[in-house]
Amino acid sequence: MKDIVEIRWHGRGGQGAKTASLLLADAAFNTGKFVQGFPEYGPERMGAPITAYNRISSERSSVHSNIYYPDYVVVVDETLLSAVDVTAGLKAEGAIVINSAKTPAELRPLLRGYAGKVCTIDAGKISQETLGKNFPNTPMLAAIVKVSGVVAVEEFIKDMDASFHHKFATKPQVIGGNMEALKRSMEEVTVG
Amino acid sequence: MGIRERLSGNEAIAVAMKQINPDVMGAFPITPSTEIPQYFSSYVDNGEVDTEFIAVESEHSAMSTCIGAQAAGCRAISATSSCGLSYMHEMLYVAASDRLPITLAVSCRALSGPININNDHSDAMSVRDAGWLMLFAETNQEAYDNYLQAMRIAEAVNLPIMICQDGFITSHAIENITLVEDDKVKDFVGEYKPEYSLLKGSMAVGPYATPAFYIEAKRQQAQAMIDAKDVIRSVSADFEKMTGRKYDLIEEYEMKDAERAIIIIGSSAGTAKEAIRGLRATGEKVGLIKIRSFRPFPAEEIARALKNVKVFAVMDKADSFNSHCGPIFAEVSAAMCVANINNPKGINIIYGLGGRDVRVESIERVFAQLDEIVKTGDVGESYRYLDVRE
């Protein structure tokens, strides 16, 4: 892994993109990394485009700015592709991971000439089938871990299992569904 | 040594408060400091602390609550931001002149208007003459460490203290942090044993002072602020013995042979360090001075650190609207004047207002402006805005 990996999340208010960025920071922290997880704050309203960021590194990063040249971009809501320049500054050797039922080839024309890897995952469907609700952030988290390799897959699964047991101590019935969502997402993410 | 964790700056402050277990918290929520009393009230609710949490209807009352509690001999704390700090303004002066070492956490945010919730230092800078000690943090770690040192410093000089960090930028960002063990914190902070208090013997709080006495009271306040410099150094030295983390009034970064320097405060110092590492790698002699203690102001220390540079830029995340400079530039210039150091040329950069993102490239642009001054010998306009659309 490179010394520092920078990730930018695009979502809409209420979809959990901020939470997913914080969960990724947690997972990387638990493997001994230095992490930053922070959203860009503004007037918060449901459905408005929001951005969140991760820096994951082996040495502490002292930079406290947003990320303009990310290694990876995660798009939690496909409708943002026409509203936000999601690939702005995205490194060609990196990748973009989009929550969509479409294939990478179908989405590439919407990405303003981005030449790097395009990955898709139908996080909505996985979430519906494993959790019975549309919570795309858990599958998106798993997909970016798989694509970026920022945390080793086995370590990530073990760590998430522990953190779900902690987080959902009062409703253990949802732990299985969340773990299933993570594993399926890692299997089903399509790289194009 | 220490406990490896990852916390936002607000959480880090709340954890420090929990470890200290003060007697009274008076608080009213305001973005972006709301999480501090929010986390802390859960510790109160869970019985992890036995602090009396007083939820009040305004920041004016929050500070009044702290004044009453501290005067009674308690350790009193609060947290606020932006207009909340402004709303405390009257009571900040009362707290300082009554010589009550209250601890106030500030997650700095712009003042209206236009209405804005993001970071700059216009809130903290607007209360700079209230008579409070003021420490600023670059990171969540520094915010936490400053908070652990706050009460020892404040109580030694009987002045209230603000522990400032940058709203959202550090207050809401999760980053690694090393916590101090609970028992060590308790030992380090110690018990509060005021010489006088309302509940021990007799004491007048907030009396009227006629012209025959008022200025003497103020002179004593001024002396306490002067004395605070040595106190901060000595508490920092004790803290270093406990944690290995070194603090002073200022931090000098790559200043030894620097020809161009910036003076900066808060989270952007970290971003500036990254810019300096990049420029140093190409042989440019650049450095920075980070102000940790803004009150007391380290005038002699800054003048000494700037003595040998060719040119410097003072970075102000607030404007004074005086038509020529921001608050830190004014104080740095006064420090240079008093120290009779006239050679370095200086400019003032107003930056980052209302959350305008401060990038590595932003700082590189400042050093490029300084380079231009070195090359031409011409300072040009000394009052400049950074990264602004004209």
Side-chain angles (χ1 to χ4, degrees):
Chain A
M1 197 183 112
K2 291 199 320 177
D3 278 352
I4 182 160
V5 173
E6 295 183 300
I7 300 171
R8 188 173 66 210
W9 297 74
H10 294 280
R12 290 190 182 275
Q15 288 175 333
K18 173 195 157 188
T19 306
S21 75
L22 299 185
L23 285 172
L24 180 62
D26 265 5
F29 171 84
N30 289 338
T31 65
K33 297 288 186 192
F34 283 88
V35 297
Q36 288 184 357
F38 57 101
E40 198 172 336
Y41 279 90
E44 288 158 10
R45 53 209 197 281
M46 292 280 271
I50 66 118
T51 315
Y53 304 92
N54 285 120
R55 284 192 181 90
I56 297 168
S57 49
S58 42
E59 302 282 333
R60 188 182 184 108
S61 169
S62 70
V63 176
H64 280 120
S65 71
N66 297 337
I67 292 167
Y68 297 91
Y69 305 102
D71 298 286
Y72 300 95
V73 164
V74 186
V75 181
V76 183
D77 188 318
E78 181 180 359
T79 64
L80 288 169
L81 295 181
S82 56
V84 177
D85 186 4
V86 294
T87 55
L90 176 59
K91 292 175 186 162
E93 60 273 28
I96 183 168
V97 184
I98 305 165
N99 174 14
S100 172
K102 298 197 179 90
T103 65
E106 286 174 286
L107 291 181
R108 190 178 285 280
L110 299 175
L111 298 176
R112 309 179 194 209
Y114 178 63
K117 269 191 274 187
V118 178
C119 311
T120 59
I121 178 74
D122 195 349
K125 178 164 163 261
I126 292 174
S127 175
Q128 287 290 357
E129 290 174 8
T130 55
L131 300 167
K133 281 182 185 144
N134 187 14
F135 290 140
N137 62 353
T138 306
M140 292 311 287
L141 172 64
I144 185 63
V145 165
K146 178 77 185 294
V147 169
S148 67
V150 75
V151 181
V153 169
E154 306 74 42
E155 247 180 311
F156 172 71
I157 294 288
K158 214 171 97 188
D159 181 60
M160 291 306 293
D161 190 50
S163 74
F164 284 147
H165 274 88
H166 177 70
K167 187 179 168 191
F168 299 123
T170 55
K171 37 179 182 175
Q173 68 278 11
V174 305
I175 296 171
N178 272 288
M179 289 308 295
E180 178 67 17
L182 290 178
K183 288 174 187 162
R184 269 193 57 187
S185 178
M186 289 190 152
E187 284 160 17
E188 293 176 23
V189 61
T190 314
V191 182
Chain B
M1 199 169 79
I3 303 156
R4 183 178 180 267
E5 253 298 355
R6 77 295 193 202
L7 297 173
S8 72
N10 277 344
E11 280 178 285
I13 291 288
V15 167
M17 289 170 168
K18 178 171 74 173
Q19 293 181 307
I20 293 167
N21 190 11
D23 301 302
V24 173
M25 178 177 220
F28 185 84
I30 181 166
T31 301
S33 61
T34 300
E35 289 178 339
I36 296 173
Q38 187 182 332
Y39 285 120
F40 191 77
S41 60
S42 72
Y43 306 143
V44 174
D45 194 44
N46 295 339
E48 291 176 89
V49 293
D50 53 19
T51 307
E52 188 74 32
F53 186 96
I54 303 177
V56 290
E57 89 300 342
S58 75
E59 288 84 357
H60 189 283
S61 297
M63 189 42 60
S64 301
T65 299
C66 290
I67 289 167
Q70 195 86 32
C74 297
R75 269 194 177 126
I77 61 168
S78 191
T80 196
S81 295
S82 190
C83 346
L85 188 61
S86 302
Y87 199 15
M88 283 181 184
H89 199 102
E90 176 188 7
M91 302 317 289
L92 294 176
Y93 278 74
V94 175
S97 58
D98 281 341
R99 309 294 301 276
L100 299 170
I102 295 159
T103 307
L104 175 63
V106 181
S107 299
C108 294
R109 162 187 157 183
L111 284 175
S112 300
I115 296 176
N116 177 287
I117 62 165
N118 298 96
N119 168 247
D120 67 31
H121 298 149
S122 52
D123 52 1
M125 288 298 151
S126 73
V127 298
R128 67 188 183 274
D129 297 338
W132 283 59
L133 302 155
M134 297 172 81
L135 300 185
F136 281 77
E138 175 188 324
T139 62
N140 59 346
Q141 183 76 61
E142 291 186 7
Y144 171 79
D145 289 351
N146 285 345
Y147 201 92
L148 296 185
Q149 295 169 62
M151 289 168 191
R152 291 252 319 252
I153 297 166
E155 290 163 12
V157 292
N158 287 317
L159 287 177
I161 187 164
M162 276 179 220
I163 299 301
C164 304
Q165 65 174 310
D166 283 349
F168 292 115
I169 299 173
T170 61
S171 77
H172 282 63
I174 307 288
E175 283 193 82
N176 296 49
I177 187 169
T178 305
L179 300 176
V180 180
E181 293 82 355
D182 289 355
D183 54 334
K184 284 191 188 169
V185 170
K186 289 232 156 39
D187 286 348
F188 182 82
V189 177
E191 292 287 313
Y192 178 45
K193 291 176 187 147
E195 201 176 341
Y196 304 100
S197 76
L198 287 174
L199 299 183
K200 196 180 88 182
S202 58
M203 170 189 172
V205 179
Y208 184 81
T210 61
F213 294 101
Y214 183 89
I215 196 171
E216 279 73 21
K218 287 297 163 191
R219 176 65 185 87
Q220 289 179 336
Q221 231 180 292
Q223 189 61 45
M225 191 58 83
I226 294 166
D227 296 344
K229 283 175 75 170
D230 281 342
V231 172
I232 293 171
R233 282 199 196 93
S234 112
V235 172
S236 302
D238 283 353
F239 189 81
E240 187 186 356
K241 275 182 214 141
M242 176 172 71
T243 63
R245 294 193 289 277
K246 189 175 171 56
Y247 291 99
D248 205 329
L249 301 169
I250 59 171
E251 178 190 335
E252 295 179 54
Y253 184 80
E254 297 283 9
M255 283 300 294
K256 210 166 248 174
D257 62 345
E259 294 174 353
R260 285 172 283 152
I262 61 171
I263 295 93
I264 197 163
I265 195 163
S267 66
S268 298
T271 308
K273 286 173 184 172
E274 179 69 17
I276 289 168
R277 281 191 284 272
L279 292 168
R280 281 264 167 191
T282 63
E284 300 199 33
K285 290 183 176 169
V286 293
L288 76 77
I289 298 164
K290 180 177 84 185
I291 297 174
R292 175 192 182 217
S293 170
F294 180 68
R295 289 287 180 265
F297 192 77
E300 292 162 32
E301 292 75 9
I302 290 174
R304 202 180 305 132
L306 285 177
K307 191 171 59 186
N308 296 320
V309 306
K310 290 181 178 166
V311 61
F312 64 87
V314 178
M315 310 283 292
D316 266 298
K317 236 182 209 184
D319 200 345
S320 279
F321 300 110
N322 54 13
S323 87
H324 81 123
C325 71
I328 305 178
F329 184 78
E331 303 217 9
V332 169
S333 300
M336 299 294 272
C337 179
V338 168
N340 200 23
I341 296 170
N342 309 310
N343 284 335
K345 296 180 164 66
I347 58 166
N348 188 200
I349 303 279
I350 310 286
Y351 76 113
L353 302 188
R356 175 58 52 86
D357 200 22
V358 183
R359 306 168 56 166
V360 172
E361 297 91 323
S362 312
I363 304 295
E364 288 170 352
R365 280 190 280 278
V366 175
F367 281 116
Q369 291 181 29
L370 294 181
D371 193 40
E372 191 64 25
I373 294 171
V374 172
K375 281 183 180 141
T376 61
D378 180 18
V379 169
E381 177 59 74
S382 60
Y383 175 46
R384 307 180 183 191
Y385 266 66
L386 181 69
D387 292 350
V388 66
R389 292 189 297 273
E390 299 281 4

